[in-house]
Amino acid sequence: MTSQPITSVDGIKGFYDDPNVVDSYLEKRTAQPLSSVLHQLEVAFITQVIESRSVAQLLDLAPGPARLSAELKPPPVAVAMDFSPKMLSEARRRTVALGKKWHLVQGDGYKLPFAEESFDLVYSLRFIRRFDRERRNRLYSEIRRVLRPGGAFIMDAQNRAVALPYRTARGLDKYPVYDELYLRHELVRELEENGFEVVRLEGMMRRFALQSRLNRLRHLRLSAPARFLIRLLEYANDANPSTWMVLCQKKPAAKPKSLKNS
């Protein structure tokens, strides 16, 4: 029998504060050729946005063990907030070791401990998609609240047309936590409905079927050639990638309609 994925907020918090998950998280996301290429593409995407938008106040929402933030050049105000004390402890160790100045905060994504309009950019990877639509809407609302007018938001998403067949073939029991999968138009509509304008939607892992096969070369101790070939395939055009990185901009609040004199 296939076990059901964890969907509750408390269950997800518990999962990501498990010492075994914390200890293995970074290796799982960066060690294999496929995951390491995706990781570097994500770092490059966020770096380019920070530089092009001259971001001065940045929030990394749910950084885990600082997988991304430890590799970024932090702006003058760089805050990373996570609900897991153990993840934050590892994030602190890594950022300090690399001389990166981040202010680490423990908090709840549903009630961000920051004033309105505090940040130029919020990014959050592998977090928003862990929750159902009603909870995602609440997270979007909080992100909008702490963004300055015209501020930017970055998130990632998995393409259901590619990810679901792959996960089904591997066994859905290998994915213990809920993960929303999207079609492109569903993703854009969800963000638009939550007060964001999609500015850029960049596909990554553009030849995923072939790239996932190349990833197996690691078993033959050919990780370096596999990584090179996987990265090379990112130059191919593909309307059906495995992953999207999405850059959004906060829409202005809708003005209330004036009442005509009766």
Side-chain angles (χ1 to χ4, degrees):
M1 178 182 290
T2 302
S3 60
Q4 293 299 310
I6 301 167
T7 59
S8 70
V9 173
D10 288 343
I12 292 170
K13 286 182 177 181
F15 179 85
Y16 283 107
D17 200 43
D18 183 312
N20 293 325
V21 174
V22 174
D23 291 345
S24 63
Y25 188 91
L26 198 63
E27 182 177 7
K28 186 176 180 181
R29 300 292 170 223
T30 62
Q32 295 185 18
L34 191 69
S35 58
S36 68
V37 170
L38 179 59
H39 169 74
Q40 291 303 322
L41 290 171
E42 291 168 342
V43 170
F45 185 98
I46 296 169
T47 297
Q48 192 277 329
V49 173
I50 291 171
E51 293 175 351
S52 66
R53 298 180 73 96
S54 301
V55 170
Q57 291 85 21
L58 172 65
L59 172 61
D60 180 349
L61 178 56
R67 176 176 72 88
L68 298 164
S69 43
E71 297 198 26
L72 299 174
K73 181 180 178 180
V77 177
V79 180
M81 195 211 82
D82 204 291
F83 52 62
S84 166
K86 293 183 180 66
M87 285 289 193
L88 281 174
S89 179
E90 180 63 12
R92 182 172 292 106
R93 185 193 67 78
R94 295 190 69 235
T95 53
V96 169
L98 293 169
K100 301 295 179 73
K101 295 182 179 180
W102 284 84
H103 181 55
L104 302 178
V105 177
Q106 185 178 357
D108 186 342
Y110 293 101
K111 193 174 182 180
L112 295 175
F114 310 113
E116 293 184 6
E117 301 182 358
S118 296
F119 298 101
D120 301 315
L121 170 65
V122 176
Y123 70 83
S124 187
L125 273 61
R126 306 186 70 86
F127 175 64
I128 306 293
R129 66 194 222 203
R130 295 304 186 193
F131 303 96
D132 61 27
R133 178 60 188 268
E134 186 275 331
R135 292 186 175 115
R136 295 199 302 275
N137 290 346
R138 290 166 56 194
L139 292 170
Y140 292 135
S141 178
E142 274 295 274
I143 291 167
R144 272 185 50 82
R145 182 182 67 79
V146 301
L147 276 175
R148 294 200 166 108
F153 169 50
I154 296 172
M155 66 174 283
D156 67 330
Q158 290 278 289
N159 182 352
R160 186 164 73 241
V162 177
L164 185 56
Y166 174 77
R167 293 181 182 201
T168 301
R170 287 194 72 211
L172 294 177
D173 58 320
K174 296 183 183 297
Y175 302 87
V177 180
Y178 180 82
D179 197 6
E180 183 70 19
L181 305 177
Y182 294 90
L183 297 181
R184 190 182 191 279
H185 72 276
E186 294 171 343
L187 174 61
V188 172
R189 183 175 64 233
E190 177 172 305
L191 289 163
E192 294 278 348
E193 288 175 351
N194 278 279
F196 295 99
E197 176 189 359
V198 175
V199 176
R200 180 178 162 199
L201 198 154
E202 184 167 320
M204 296 178 178
M205 300 293 100
R206 300 184 179 192
R207 289 288 186 271
F208 184 74
L210 177 54
Q211 289 167 317
S212 61
R213 290 197 292 272
L214 288 169
N215 193 49
R216 300 172 192 164
L217 292 174
R218 72 189 189 279
H219 298 305
L220 302 176
R221 298 186 179 182
L222 294 172
S223 289
R227 191 176 295 110
F228 172 79
L229 293 171
I230 289 168
R231 185 66 181 85
L232 190 64
L233 286 167
E234 286 301 292
Y235 291 97
N237 292 322
D238 190 351
N240 207 28
S242 170
T243 299
W244 289 295
M245 287 286 282
V246 193
L247 171 63
C248 312
Q249 186 162 296
K250 177 181 175 179
K251 291 181 182 178
K255 294 181 179 180
K257 294 181 180 179
S258 59
L259 297 176
K260 295 182 179 179
N261 294 329
S262 56

